[in-house]
Amino acid sequence: MPSKTSWFSKEIAFQNLRTVGWVGFVYLAGLLFAVPLKIIMLATDDNQYFVRFENLFSFNADLQWFLTCVIPVLLSIFLFRYLQVKNASDLIHSLPIKRTRIFNQYLIMGILMLIIPVVLTGITLLILHSVMDVTDYYSLKDVLYWLLDTIITDLLIFMSGVLVAMITGLSAVQGGLTYVLLLFPAGIGVLISYNLKFLLTGFPYDYFTDKSFDKISPISQALNFPNMKSPMSVIEIIIYLILAVVFYFGSIMIYKKRKLEAVSQAIAFSQLRPVFKYSMTFCFMLLGGFYFGGFQGGFFWIIFGYIIGSLIGYLIAEMILHKTWRVLTRLKGYVIYAVIFAVVFGLFQFDITGYEKRVPKVANIESVYLNNHPRGKKFFEEPQNIELVRNLHEKIIGSQGTAGKTSKYGDPLFFVYKLKNGDKVMREYRLQDKDRYIAYLKPLYESNEYKQAHYKLLSVNVDMVDKITISTNGRVTRSVSFVDPKDIIAAISNLKDDIENETYEDMTFEHGADSNVEILLKNDKRMHLDFKPSYSNLKKWLKAKGQLKNAVVNANDISSAIVIRKNNHSSYKTSLTNKAWIKKMLNKGQALKVTNKDKIEMCLDNFSWGSVKSRYDVVFNYKNGNMDSGIFDGKHTPAFVEQYFNGK
Amino acid sequence: MIEVKNVSKTLDNMDVLTNVNFAVKRGSIYGLLGSNGAGKTTLLKLVTGILLQDEGDILISHQSVFENPPVKNRIVFIADTLYYFPQYTVKQMANFYRSVYSTWDEKRYEKLKDVFEIDESKKVQKFSKGMQRQVAFWLSFSAMPEILVLDEPIDGLDPVMRRKIKNLIVQDVADRGMTVLISSHNLREIEDICDHIGILHKGEMILEKDLDDLKSDIHKIQVAFKGKTPENLFGNLRVLYKEERGSVLLCIVAGDQEMLTEHFTRSNPVIYDMLPLTLEEIFIYEMGDAGYAIKNILV
């Protein structure tokens, strides 16, 4: 009877359809609701503002993401439920059918249940495209991409669920572990890099997170679909497919070895139970470090986080494995784990690999990047600058104590060395006292190479400039524009001179209310830079043209400035612009009212909007009734202010 | 037909079966007795190829049963707790079994409909426990297995239905040489249909017997002598039990009936009686100390 031995049994197919068919129907309904219906609603609503949709994932993006994450996992749970229910498992496996055959048939039914709703929705979209004017919303190519990406992502998530189904004996654990598996690569990447930050001085954590771990998990990646022009690259599709195939063969292999008596065990393979237990312990340890290190900081809190986290992880794993609350008597494994990791942390503290002390040799360095953010593209190539960066790096390594490792405050500084052999060495530091390194930073920031790299204006040809607009930045709005080529030449050349003369101190001073210079180029591109108080050439030229008053906020805009001395650098319980409070401070002699125009000008040139620790706050009362507040940092406190308060 | 050789199985680090050996001949009904936790269900699941033994061999007609569909096609297993697909009617379950077992006999199925008198268009999961068990027998008999494996099958059936099912089993064994392996914790439930009995105790097969041999082979004897009981009265006889009540000696001895009578009358007893022995008494005496340990399961 050949029909009996063929791999596909109609009755099993019916059985699958009866038990999990509803998942397919829910999926179809969800997709139809999310995409074609939404498009019909948009296309037939005349009052609708035009909204640009990047692709078909952008329609009801949240719902689509939800369906993609939930439906395949749900399907894998219900489809392979027979493995997790003792009676069903016994019945199915007593039948004269090989496990591989059951598996393949169930799997194919599952895949059909995923693909058919997607394809039907795709067909609906194609029909819609031919009968309605929906070209604003999508093209036929979009439909193709949508079909492909949805199916591929669904397949990978589904296969992950299937793989986990083979490993576990409980449906609930299957669901949980599937998401753990799917999120694991991204999650563990973030956790490890975050924790290495605590353990290794100089570990470039922000560099890694900026590279985004999103891509390595289908769930987080799918979240990005709605904003991407072509969601999945060919390489990604190939990787997903390879993974799905690997999971397929892995599942079959595991299924063949699976002992059916493991039904209703959290982990069906006893060899995997310790792996599960200690993975949980490890991940929760990192999570504990992440939480307490990130929100509290400090050596004690990080160690506390590790201990509490690992203990919780260990206990949860034990509870799941033994299916009981009473696990406090099983702490032997935890003690062993704790001892091993105490040793590992010790090794990190002693920097066994020399990671913290490593600075590449000059001879090996091709170029080097240094900045307070990791995303820049400009590298130092001149030998004396490379040397300076190296020296700075060595100085930082030499002077960082253990406190530096765990600090979450401080000025960030990124080093990226490109080596001649193609390797990269990356480091990140949070400097508590950046001024200590001024001897290295100053020549670097003031070097021509740095300025050329960071000020695009320096490489702009004056002929390319169409228009210059300088606008104020503060509680008054004014601007002045220049279109006359003569003016443009003069302005640009003054600005270039100012930039070339700009010192490190000027560059790092975060002045409040810098006016904005916008340079419009002939190719319609715009450049923006700050008009800093130190740009004296430009200031002089503007003054000569009689336009300075229009380009910057000046003393004529201000009726008075109030400088308030802080007590013990403490923060106030009230807003700085609380007039009654200011009055009280004036009466107490804690504040100074400035009405002299030159002094107001001094205040305007030297205040900043930072939140740096400062001894003085300043409040500006504008003539138009507005108020503004800022601070004087140590180096920029006007002399008359110090004099006044010191005299008291 | 069924050969179980040196089979051991560990579940969750517990030895459930240790070095179990037994064989079931074609056309015989083998009763597997044991208390709860003795390992009966595990043994049956090994025989039906659901579980895989850690050690030893399980052969059906000299072929291994695990993951071997042609062999499994000849076996039907009725578990102690039954499973039916959700929402399935008897008819749909029958369709499923028909598609799975190549030996399915539709005529038999139709015929058995009259025996069980169950509405085949009703959902099986809605039936009572006893009805569900009848459905299991209905489907199983329709699949015409060469080997029927039953785990505690009589539970939940009323006496009439018990009789009916026992008759069906016996009939299939007689008509087409079906082999039956049946487990129970209660000897009385199955002693009327089994021809062989094996007793499983704490994972070990402590006794295996042909029931007819057993009954004719062990005897309870009462003897009394004038004066002292002769020395060396028993000679080479295998004595399972003896007890003196005054001058009367009560003993349980293995051996052929005529041989025993001749042996004892040779010593000129004043009283000589051969008394009937119940099956459970036989087991208990046969097994000595272990027998007392499992006394409860034999009632």
Side-chain angles (χ1 to χ4, degrees), chain A residues 312-331:
Chain A
I312 291 174
Y314 182 87
L315 292 177
I316 293 178
E318 286 281 6
M319 284 174 201
I320 294 175
L321 286 177
H322 296 105
K323 291 192 280 179
T324 170
W325 294 103
R326 283 177 284 175
V327 290
L328 281 171
T329 50
R330 300 177 197 270
L331 285 173

Side-chain angles (χ1 to χ4, degrees), chain A residues 27 55-57 68 118 141-157 218 222 225 228-234 236-237 240:
Chain A
Y27 192 30
N55 55 47
L56 280 167
F57 291 101
T68 296
V118 180
K141 214 166 102 190
D142 284 332
V143 179
L144 207 68
Y145 280 138
W146 181 84
L147 277 173
L148 195 65
D149 295 350
T150 307
I151 289 174
I152 298 282
T153 308
D154 280 356
L155 272 185
L156 181 59
I157 295 178
F225 281 173
M228 296 158 86
K229 257 211 160 57
S230 52
M232 284 177 85
S233 65
V234 178
E236 275 177 303
I237 291 177
Y240 275 37

Side-chain angles (χ1 to χ4, degrees), chain A residues 73 76-77 80-86 89 93 160-179 181 251 254-255 258-270 272-273 276 320-321 323:
Chain A
V73 176
S76 72
I77 289 175
F80 288 96
R81 176 112 183 100
Y82 78 89
L83 281 174
Q84 331 292 21
V85 177
K86 189 162 164 276
S89 169
H93 294 100
S160 310
V162 172
L163 181 72
V164 174
M166 301 301 134
I167 294 169
T168 166
L170 284 174
S171 292
V173 174
Q174 186 196 340
L177 277 187
T178 303
Y179 288 110
L181 174 70
S251 303
I254 294 169
Y255 188 19
R258 182 185 171 100
K259 291 186 169 175
L260 298 181
E261 58 264 33
V263 151
S264 82
Q265 297 275 2
I267 305 289
F269 291 84
S270 54
L272 282 180
R273 280 174 207 153
F276 169 76
I320 294 175
L321 286 177
K323 291 192 280 179

